[in-house]
Amino acid sequence: LFDNETQKVGLVKFNYASTLLSSLTSDFDFIKSQISGISTDSYTNMGEGIREAKEESADNGRVDVDQYIVLLSDGVPNMMINQSGDSVICPQPTPANSTDCTDYALEMADEAKANGIKIFTIGTYSQNDTFGEQLMKDIASDENMYYSSPEFATLEEIYNQIAEKICKEKPKGKTSYNELYGNNFCEPLWSCGQWSECDVDVRTRVCDDRNFCGTNYLKPSESAGCNLSSFGESSDKTFD
């Protein structure tokens, strides 16, 4: 459903901390490969995950497009990073008693929403976990943007429903930057350097716009898995 000409996706995982597995990119195959490598952990630092996604949107997202976070979790926040940079483990929350970890997750979600980011949430909780479900409803931009998936088999259907809400049909027959955004806009001319050496299964490069348009429109991916074959190439691309 996503269009790699006009849309980008990033990926953050969180356990005891948060990790940006991919910055915003139109390389959806790379995103899928990163998702397949995620494993579960006993800690849920949800607040850090939201913060990481919020900061990536602020650093690399375009201000003239809608921005979204789709948050998936099978647990409630039980870890956070305090202002000193130390990891803090929180007790299990109850409907009557929130914790610093749940409060931090809500705080980061509120900051993201204040920045104009819309949040969808998916909880894979049992029917008895009323606190987890309510927390994910509170984190979501609207309760209707929370999805319950006690059975993982329903996740694909849920993601398709969310994608349909996020994706906007491109104007028919309009494929160029100027046709999409108007003739007053600058069309970027991307030039990418060599890929770096592999570091923790990821290689990076820097791509600059020679026209200095100040946009990330169709910016090539600046990170990729080490198993891809395109490393060692540089590119000069225009987009029509």
Side-chain angles (χ1 to χ4, degrees):
L1 293 176
F2 286 106
D3 180 358
N4 62 8
E5 290 187 357
T6 59
Q7 294 168 319
K8 292 188 175 184
V9 177
L11 182 64
V12 174
K13 75 171 184 178
F14 54 91
N15 37 44
Y16 60 90
S18 64
T19 304
L20 180 64
L21 295 179
S22 174
S23 58
L24 288 167
T25 178
S26 55
D27 187 349
F28 300 150
D29 288 336
F30 175 63
I31 293 289
K32 291 177 182 177
S33 72
Q34 292 296 297
I35 292 174
S36 65
I38 296 176
S39 58
T40 58
D41 192 277
S42 57
Y43 293 111
T44 305
N45 195 339
M46 189 181 294
E48 280 296 294
I50 299 171
R51 179 198 60 76
E52 191 86 55
K54 172 177 67 74
E55 291 186 358
E56 171 62 17
S57 294
D59 291 342
N60 296 309
R62 285 187 289 137
V63 297
D64 57 338
V65 298
D66 292 332
Q67 297 182 2
Y68 300 87
I69 292 174
V70 179
L71 175 69
L72 169 68
S73 182
D74 63 351
V76 295
N78 59 11
M79 179 168 278
M80 62 178 288
I81 306 296
N82 63 20
Q83 293 182 346
S84 300
D86 299 321
S87 297
V88 177
I89 299 175
C90 297
Q92 182 71 16
T94 66
N97 295 290
S98 62
T99 67
D100 288 342
C101 294
T102 58
D103 290 345
Y104 179 59
L106 287 167
E107 178 186 348
M108 290 299 100
D110 287 343
E111 287 188 10
K113 288 181 277 191
N115 290 346
I117 300 174
K118 301 173 185 177
I119 303 179
F120 290 91
T121 57
I122 307 171
T124 59
Y125 305 112
S126 68
Q127 294 181 346
N128 296 327
D129 193 348
T130 57
F131 181 87
E133 288 217 325
Q134 186 57 53
L135 178 68
M136 293 295 265
K137 290 178 181 178
D138 292 339
I139 288 174
S141 295
D142 183 278
E143 284 200 2
N144 294 325
M145 295 171 71
Y146 166 71
Y147 294 81
S148 176
S149 179
E151 302 294 332
F152 282 91
T154 63
L155 280 177
E156 182 175 358
E157 179 184 350
I158 289 173
Y159 275 115
N160 284 333
Q161 292 176 15
I162 293 174
E164 288 177 359
K165 291 183 178 181
I166 291 177
C167 296
K168 295 180 179 178
E169 185 177 357
K170 185 172 62 177
K172 190 174 182 180
K174 296 184 178 181
T175 57
S176 73
Y177 184 86
N178 285 340
E179 285 179 311
L180 281 169
Y181 295 101
N183 292 326
N184 293 328
F185 285 83
C186 172
E187 184 169 0
L189 176 64
W190 294 108
S191 176
C192 296
Q194 298 288 334
W195 289 101
S196 70
E197 295 297 322
C198 183
D199 182 16
V200 195
D201 296 328
V202 175
R203 293 191 180 188
T204 60
R205 62 180 177 179
V206 175
C207 297
D208 296 312
D209 174 20
R210 293 183 174 180
N211 286 341
F212 303 101
C213 295
T215 177
N216 286 326
Y217 176 76
L218 283 182
K219 185 175 183 179
S221 175
E222 292 183 304
S223 64
C226 292
N227 60 339
L228 300 183
S229 60
S230 59
F231 298 124
E233 301 176 355
S234 61
S235 62
D236 294 331
K237 297 183 179 179
T238 57
F239 300 94
D240 301 319

